[in-house]
């Protein structure tokens, strides 16, 4: 380590200038295709899903399944953790506990324990108060709540993290400050501007608390049509990969402070007597913004109007488009497992009842999705290799105490014996 780096770290610690966070957990959302499209390889490990303590914004036009997908994401993130909870700020008053149960498959007891639905007496300030209260409790009880990750940070220190909490905000465009909500008279553009300013100020003030307390904020917002003042002049799109006439209401911070921005666009309809035997439609997802993978990535999902987004059928579409499935009609089959036949209506049943089919199906899906991960896996044959600090050039010290060198041309990691001794 350089003299300057070492001395500055001492000053930063002594004068409490700030803290260095070198580890961020990642959580699976229940939709594999999204998780891998947003995932990455980092310091010898795979980070699949969305990062803890960050903001995910889901946008789309009405009827594209935004709320349903957000509910699936939230439940999948917190379900494995005893202290994992969802706080649902439903400004649109559109969700019910029974609908949440249908989507998640949770029992009455689990919903009561893990899902708090707030849909009355809530305002923009409610988000601020909720985050501050959660962060205070979680940080005060860190030793009681923190979980071992069995991983180390960049400096080789064991990592413990707080269990994830999800705040689901539906929707950004309909939340407003208490003062404006209680106005007796309707206001025009001045109120809209005031709402946006308040919303932007609140989210900026809670970003640090989200990260420190491992609170994931999932924001749902609408895409509206932007009206040009001069129809002869087209202004620049609000964000890359948006169309020029697409706009996000309620303040722009839900875009610019988001770690991930996912856009949903409805596609072809699905009928009960055709294809998968369900009523719904296909939905195209597009990563408008991703701080962990490439922006602009698109993928297709299956939306069942009764039960929500279907991960198995979504993965089936991926396999089919990748050429991993042969046959037709009632005689479809995995190319690597030709003796097990199925139709599109029975593929999910086959997946759930035939272990051999499920195992091969999952293997093929993972094999394809591995290619979606960004970054370079420095560990390939060295599972314990974890980046601790850059000594010089491409030389790193791993969690096993040894030094390794990464060759950019061959993408291989080589042990350097006696280095630094």
């Amino acid at each position: 380590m350089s003299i300057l780096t070492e001395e500055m770290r001492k000053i930063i610690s002594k004068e409490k200038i700030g803290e260095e966070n070198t580890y961020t957990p990642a959580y699976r959302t229940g939709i594999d295709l999204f998780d891998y499209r947003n995932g990455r390889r980092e310091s010898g490990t795979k980070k699949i899903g969305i990062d803890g303590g960050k903001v995910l914004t889901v946008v789309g036009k009405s009827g594209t399944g935004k709320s349903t997908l957000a509910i699936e994401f939230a439940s999948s993130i917190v379900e494995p953790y005893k202290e994992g909870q969802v706080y649902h700020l439903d400004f649109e008053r559109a969700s019910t506990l029974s609908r949440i149960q249908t989507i998640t498959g949770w029992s009455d007891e689990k919903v009561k324990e893990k899902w708090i639905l707030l849909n009355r007496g809530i305002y923009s300030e409610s988000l601020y108060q909720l985050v501050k209260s959660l962060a205070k409790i979680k940080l005060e009880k860190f030793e009681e709540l923190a979980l071992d990750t069995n991983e180390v940070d960049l400096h080789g220190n064991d990592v413990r993290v707080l269990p994830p909490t999800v705040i689901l905000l539906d929707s950004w465009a309909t939340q407003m400050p208490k003062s404006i909500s209680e106005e007796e008279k309707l206001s025009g553009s001045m109120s809209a501007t005031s709402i946006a300013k308040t919303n932007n100020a609140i989210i900026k003030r809670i970003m640090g608390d989200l990260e420190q307390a491992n609170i994931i904020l999932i924001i749902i917002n609408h895409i509206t049509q932007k009206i040009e003042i001069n129809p002869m002049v087209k202004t620049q799109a609000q964000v890359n990969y948006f169309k020029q006439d697409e706009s996000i209401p309620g303040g722009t911070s839900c875009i610019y402070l988001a770690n991930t921005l996912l856009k949903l666009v409805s596609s072809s309809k699905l009928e009960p007597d055709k294809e998968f035997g369900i009523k719904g439609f296909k939905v195209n997802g597009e990563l408008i913004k991703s701080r962990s993978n490439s922006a602009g990535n698109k993928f297709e999902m299956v939306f069942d109007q009764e039960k929500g987004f279907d991960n198995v059928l979504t993965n089936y579409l991926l396999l089919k488009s990748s050429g991993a499935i042969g046959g037709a009609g009632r005689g479809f089959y995995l190319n690597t497992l030709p003796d097990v036949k199925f139709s599109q209506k029975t593929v999910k049943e086959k997946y759930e009842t035939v272990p051999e089919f499920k195992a091969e199906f999952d293997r093929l899906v993972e094999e394809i999705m591995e290619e979606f991960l960004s970054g370079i896996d420095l560990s390939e044959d060295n599972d314990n290799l974890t980046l601790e600090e850059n000594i010089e050039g491409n030389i790193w010290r791993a969690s096993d105490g040894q030094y390794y060198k990464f060759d950019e041309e061959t993408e291989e990691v080589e042990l350097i014996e006696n280095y630094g001794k």
Side-chain angles (χ1 to χ4, degrees), residues 205-225:
R205 291 173 66 183
I206 63 174
M207 292 298 292
D209 296 287
L210 295 177
E211 192 274 330
Q212 280 193 307
N214 197 15
I215 301 169
I216 298 169
L217 176 58
I218 300 179
I219 297 174
I220 298 169
N221 206 2
H222 303 285
I223 290 180
T224 58
Q225 185 172 12

Side-chain angles (χ1 to χ4, degrees), residues 144-177:
E144 297 175 54
L145 297 172
L147 305 169
D148 293 325
T149 63
N150 297 318
E151 296 186 50
V152 295
D153 62 18
L154 293 180
H155 305 298
N157 301 313
D158 292 333
V159 175
R160 299 179 72 216
V161 297
L162 290 164
T165 304
V166 175
I167 295 179
L168 176 53
L169 196 159
D170 190 0
S171 67
W172 183 256
T174 54
Q175 69 167 345
M176 62 179 64

Side-chain angles (χ1 to χ4, degrees), residues 187-234:
S187 302
S189 59
M190 290 298 292
S191 284
T193 301
S194 179
I195 290 170
K197 285 183 176 180
T198 301
N199 292 346
N200 288 340
I202 286 174
I203 195 170
K204 288 177 182 177
R205 291 173 66 183
I206 63 174
M207 292 298 292
D209 296 287
L210 295 177
E211 192 274 330
Q212 280 193 307
N214 197 15
I215 301 169
I216 298 169
L217 176 58
I218 300 179
I219 297 174
I220 298 169
N221 206 2
H222 303 285
I223 290 180
T224 58
Q225 185 172 12
K226 181 169 59 176
I227 306 299
E228 300 286 1
I229 297 176
N230 183 352
M232 302 301 295
V233 179
K234 295 292 184 180

Side-chain angles (χ1 to χ4, degrees), residues 36-37 39 45 52 69 106 109 111 145 155 168 177 196 208 216 225-226 232 235 262 288 297 343 357 367 376 399 418:
Y36 276 85
R37 279 298 189 188
T45 61
L69 186 63
W106 287 1
E109 184 179 353
V111 169
L145 297 172
H155 305 298
L168 176 53
I216 298 169
Q225 185 172 12
K226 181 169 59 176
M232 302 301 295
T235 57
L262 174 63
I288 300 297
N297 283 327
S343 68
F357 178 80
E367 185 178 272
I376 298 173
S399 59
N418 300 319

